[in-house]
Amino acid sequence: MKNLLKNLLMISLFFLLIFLLYHLFTRFWNKHSLEQESIKFSESLQNSPFSVSKIIMYSSAYGENQNTTFQKSNWILNILQYTDIAIYLEHSGKNLTSANTLKTLLLENIQISSPTLGNPSLYYLDSLNFGTATFHENYKLDNTTEFTVLNDENKNNEIQSNTPVFFTDCSNPITLKYVNQAVKENYIVTSNEPVFFDGRLLNMANIALTHLEANISFDIHIESNDNIDYFYHFSSPILLENGESSIYDGSILVEKSFENDKFRKK
């Protein structure tokens, strides 16, 4: 009986030892794998010649008049909110080479969180219309959109700015327009007071900014002229207020600068 208990104890200790060794090995391997992934990620950033230098976001609103009589004292408005976005890229090095210039530019995995009010979409924005309520349904972006990359100054205007274009030397920003349509439909304005067709409409129509909260995200995928792929994950809330002002004042401009916010190499 004593030998049996002794054998059972030995077996139990053996399996316990195996379990502890397995647990320790698993922790070590997970830590090692994480460290290796961190090293690879860090190296992919250090060796990247491309980065995001600045982001500008301009937000306002607009009312599309549904009243064909155009009587100022009887507006019937469909109110939308929009945010124009400019993403500035830069390359390393003073001289242009195949390693720090672009061959292709794509936006991939475009996602928009749903605000409480409205119907949001993302559009390509002609840079000439930045800061205005102008947008075109033809420029609506799907899940993936490819830009035309220009290798010259386009002096002859062979390719117009109303199509998604980007210069190989990163000299122009990526310009996009977030539009949240139908945040309030058939809003009747009967007052004789002046109507301002900007963010003040949201305040006039008692539209809470919390009901317009949304987030957009996508991957910027570029390929350099030496055939190396780089990626940057862009994610940002639609900023409608800060500590000093809000879209209720008419519009709000937010600018963020970055240092060494690099693309990662595939």
Side-chain angles (χ1 to χ4, degrees), residues 116-134:
T116 304
L117 297 176
N119 181 26
S121 299
L122 191 65
Y123 298 81
Y124 169 74
L125 173 63
D126 185 338
S127 58
L128 297 177
N129 293 325
F130 194 94
T132 73
T134 303

Side-chain angles (χ1 to χ4, degrees), residues 99-140:
N100 66 9
T101 55
L102 274 66
K103 182 168 69 174
T104 61
L105 168 63
L106 299 96
L107 302 186
E108 301 174 330
N109 305 315
I110 299 172
Q111 297 183 9
I112 306 175
S113 65
S114 298
T116 304
L117 297 176
N119 181 26
S121 299
L122 191 65
Y123 298 81
Y124 169 74
L125 173 63
D126 185 338
S127 58
L128 297 177
N129 293 325
F130 194 94
T132 73
T134 303
F135 70 98
H136 300 280
E137 286 297 329
N138 291 339
Y139 305 156
K140 186 176 180 179

Side-chain angles (χ1 to χ4, degrees), residues 8-36:
L8 290 174
L9 180 60
M10 293 295 293
I11 293 172
S12 299
L13 290 174
F14 174 77
F15 281 108
L16 179 61
L17 179 62
I18 294 296
F19 174 77
L20 291 175
L21 289 175
Y22 174 78
H23 182 67
L24 290 173
F25 175 77
T26 302
R27 290 185 59 184
F28 168 79
W29 183 254
N30 289 340
K31 181 180 179 182
H32 175 73
S33 299
L34 180 61
E35 290 175 348
Q36 292 300 311

